[in-house]
């Protein structure tokens, strides 16, 4: 756009927010309550040269707006906000800093850490550094997309049928030789037929992607030659991360993402996005001024009322977005709606989700954000998954989210790790807090967390491993974290992982150690997949992926986190496929609460037994040395006949007395691929190997229980 043809902005409208092309020009709308003036800055196509600064002519109910006639998609722009520099009052306006539009759909970069991005003088923080950063700042580019979705339709998988698969776009396919090199590690790589075949053969139904929003690597990491690989440091909530795009055939990263979603949908696979609306990449008061801070620091962020020069840090990342402010809440809602309506995703996993529900008095399930989600016609039907803790006071909210929400259940994780893994290391004494009673509670949907709140068992996302911690193989290969590569002197990451190295730290050539580790991996996978609730696997665990003992590889964009397909464990993969297939076929536990009470004909929906056939009751639930139990499911979800789960977490083989009827083993986790031909009849013993479980089905002729 020629400098001489630009004179002024027309009034335009205070909606929609951001930059929108109407066929004749572009309307710009930017929120700021406290700014005294706002300027639109126009740049050349590369974002290098500033061509014009145009004052916004109107300020309507806290929205600055203007219309640029003749402007076209592709226009590169930024913002400058004028107002008081009073950090002690919460205001950090600095017109020397070019600011990114929070609603930008396309971001022009790259970003380099430079002194010009910082408003406080780094030597004298009370003073403002007025060096202009426009040459180096991130800028927005006006978009006007038209994507042909064809017959794309959301798979609409019910919670009862859902099996989540958490993965990183890059790490999943970066080392997969079946994918063309130019597509590996990208959205196109995840959409490749080889990727989809693996997912379908495995049997998962929903891909839960680590963050794909535009994010930045922290200054410290960059200075050390590292990156924020996981991406939990968002600066653009409407923008696809371009670093995850292959850019093949001239396709934009937005369209490559859409092609990925369409391909996954065609295979009946849902797409869940991990989203980070709890903080931004601007960090704390010593951080850069890139967007929100410069537009209206006191509105976008939560500031301590008695010390507004600092930030409330419920995210542990330096700042906390202020969803009590209606326009900030609107931005989050608009972002979510954009990803559903224009990018066709099927749900979200909310990082540090209690932040979203924090009011003036703490977390509330009746907070404005939850009410807005519940009534929104575009969002109320998608899958909403909470990471139900943050770092602030009262931040642990497992079980506390509204009806309709799923939650990562770390009580399930810790109980199963204690029962099977740490228990294997501790000998006869069960780790504190993980009795058979607690184990049964977690196995059956964590009724203590969800039943009284009238939430279904499927609202519990059951997992033993996630991206945040040891891989499954490392959980049974390391007693201690080994995070030296993160360059924090091995201080980062969780210290107590309820792990056990099975007798040797790290890789081992000892066949006894290797078999022990393999057995524990299988029983943990099976326990997670057969339990009542919604199971989640972490990508690579079905293949035997290791991160060399690093339990916090957020900054490792390398072979540490990239799945090594060449070294996959074929037996473990076959085992995983078998167990997921059994879950889909039988659904051992229905998505309803069991009561353990006999019906009119004396049949129990579920009952619990000791290995000797006696009923498990009373003090037996709390015995710290007891490591065996049996669960008889009289009314499974899909099986036409009762199912029997036999659990043996002890160090020796145990003979279980079978209930009445004839039983056929469907799964034996002591076997490399889980297959078993064992059969048994009521009143007779069936041997269950140490550190393993078995799933059996009663024959149809014997399906009446007593």
């Amino acid at each position: 756009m020629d400098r001489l043809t630009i004179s002024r902005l027309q009034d335009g409208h205070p909606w929609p927010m951001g930059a929108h092309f109407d066929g004749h020009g572009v309307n710009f709308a930017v929120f700021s309550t406290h700014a005294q003036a706002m300027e639109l800055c126009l740049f050349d196509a590369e974002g290098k040269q500033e061509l014009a600064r145009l004052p916004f002519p109107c300020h309507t109910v806290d929205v600055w707006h203007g219309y640029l006639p003749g402007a076209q998609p592709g226009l590169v722009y930024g913002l400058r906000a004028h107002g008081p520099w009073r950090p002690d009052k919460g205001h950090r306006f600095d017109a020397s800093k070019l600011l990114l539009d929070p609603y930008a759909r396309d971001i022009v970069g790259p970003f380099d850490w430079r002194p010009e991005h910082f408003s406080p003088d780094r030597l004298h923080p009370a003073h403002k550094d007025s060096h202009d950063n426009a040459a180096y700042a991130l800028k927005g580019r006006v978009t006007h997309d038209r994507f042909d979705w064809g017959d794309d339709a959301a798979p609409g998988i019910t919670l009862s049928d859902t099996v989540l698969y958490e993965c990183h776009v890059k790490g999943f396919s970066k080392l997969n030789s079946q994918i063309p090199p130019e597509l590996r590690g990208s959205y196109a790589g995840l959409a490749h037929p080889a990727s989809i075949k693996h997912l379908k053969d495995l049997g998962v139904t929903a891909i839960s992607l680590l963050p794909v929003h535009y994010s930045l690597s922290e200054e410290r990491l960059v200075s050390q030659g590292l990156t924020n690989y996981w991406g939990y440091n968002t600066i653009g909530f409407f923008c696809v991360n371009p670093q995850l795009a292959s850019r093949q055939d001239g396709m934009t990263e937005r369209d490559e993402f859409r092609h990925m979603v369409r391909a996954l949908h065609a295979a009946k696979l849902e797409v869940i996005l991990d989203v980070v609306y709890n903080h931004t990449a601007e960090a704390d008061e010593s951080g850069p001024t890139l967007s929100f801070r410069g537009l209206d620091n006191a509105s976008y962020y939560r500031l301590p009322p008695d010390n507004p020069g600092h930030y409330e840090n419920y995210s542990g990342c330096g700042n906390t977005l202020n969803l009590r402010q209606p326009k900030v809440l609107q931005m989050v809602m608009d972002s979510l709606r954009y990803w559903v309506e224009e990018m066709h995703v099927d749900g979200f996993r909310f990082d540090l989700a209690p932040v979203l529900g924090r009011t003036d008095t703490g977390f509330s399930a009746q907070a404005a954000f939850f009410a807005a989600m519940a009534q929104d016609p575009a969002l109320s039907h998608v899958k909403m998954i909470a990471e139900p803790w943050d770092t602030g006071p009262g931040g642990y909210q497992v079980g506390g989210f509204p009806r309709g929400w799923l939650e990562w259940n770390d009580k399930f994780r810790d109980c199963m790790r204690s029962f099977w893994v740490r228990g294997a290391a501790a000998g006869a004494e069960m780790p504190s807090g993980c009795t058979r009673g607690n184990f049964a509670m977690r196995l059956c949907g964590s009724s203590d967390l969800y039943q009284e709140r009238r939430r279904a068992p499927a609202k519990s996302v059951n997992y033993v491993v996630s991206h945040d911690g040891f891989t499954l193989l490392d959980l049974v290969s390391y007693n201690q974290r080994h995070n030296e590569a993160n360059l924090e002197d091995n201080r980062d990451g969780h210290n107590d992982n309820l792990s056990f190295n099975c007798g040797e730290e790290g890789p081992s050539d000892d066949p006894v150690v290797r078999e022990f580790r393999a057995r524990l991996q299988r029983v943990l996978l099976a326990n997670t997949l057969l339990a009542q609730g919604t199971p989640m696997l972490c990508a690579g665990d079905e293949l035997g992926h290791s991160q060399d003992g690093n339990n916090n590889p957020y900054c490792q964009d390398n072979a540490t986190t990239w799945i090594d397909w060449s070294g996959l464990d074929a037996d473990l993969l076959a085992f995983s496929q078998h167990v997921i297939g059994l879950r889909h076929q039988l659904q051992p536990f229905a998505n309803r609460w069991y009561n353990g009470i006999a019906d009119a004909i004396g049949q129990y929906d579920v009952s619990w037994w000791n290995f000797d056939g006696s009923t498990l009751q009373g003090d037996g639930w709390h015995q710290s040395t007891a490591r065996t139990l049996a669960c008889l499911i009289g009314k499974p979800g899909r099986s036409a006949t009762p199912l029997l789960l036999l659990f043996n977490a002890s160090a020796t083989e145990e003979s279980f007395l079978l209930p009445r009827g004839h039983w056929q083993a469907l799964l034996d986790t002591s076997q490399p691929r889980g297959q078993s031909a064992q059969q048994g009849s009521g009143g007779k013993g069936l041997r269950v190997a140490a550190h393993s479980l078995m799933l059996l089905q009663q024959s149809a002729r014997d399906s009446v229980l007593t």
Side-chain angles (χ1 to χ4, degrees), residues 181-211:
E182 64 273 15
L183 302 183
R184 295 174 193 169
S186 69
Y187 305 118
L190 185 55
H192 189 271
S195 296
I196 291 178
K197 182 178 187 303
H198 174 77
L199 297 169
K200 292 300 292 182
D201 288 348
L202 182 59
V204 297
T205 67
I207 314 307
S208 183
L209 296 177
L210 267 66

Side-chain angles (χ1 to χ4, degrees), residues 19-28 66-73 75 142 144:
H20 286 268
F21 176 67
D22 64 2
H24 305 284
V26 177
N27 190 82
F28 296 88
Y67 181 81
L68 186 60
Q72 296 292 312
L75 178 68
V142 177
H144 187 63

Side-chain angles (χ1 to χ4, degrees), residues 640-642 660-664 696-704:
T641 60
R660 179 177 175 180
H662 185 77
W663 298 89
Q664 172 66 55
L696 300 97
Q697 185 177 38
Q698 192 182 55
S699 63
R701 69 178 187 273
D702 301 315
S703 61
V704 178

Side-chain angles (χ1 to χ4, degrees), residues 81 129 214 226 282 402 422 429 436 494 518 631-632 668:
D129 183 334
Y214 197 107
L226 301 172
E282 291 183 309
R422 182 60 64 84
E429 188 71 20
R436 291 189 293 179
H494 295 292
C631 177
L632 178 58
D668 181 353

Side-chain angles (χ1 to χ4, degrees), residues 308-349:
H310 294 269
Y311 293 82
E312 292 182 333
N313 186 17
Y314 300 144
S315 67
C317 299
N319 63 59
T320 306
L321 276 175
N322 181 20
L323 270 71
R324 298 168 301 180
Q325 215 294 335
K327 284 295 184 181
V328 180
L329 173 60
Q330 178 188 339
M331 180 193 73
V332 172
M333 298 300 296
D334 288 346
S335 171
L336 292 168
R337 202 175 297 111
Y338 170 78
W339 288 96
V340 170
E341 294 182 335
E342 297 195 35
M343 307 301 260
H344 285 206
V345 304
D346 305 288
F348 305 93
R349 181 266 189 187

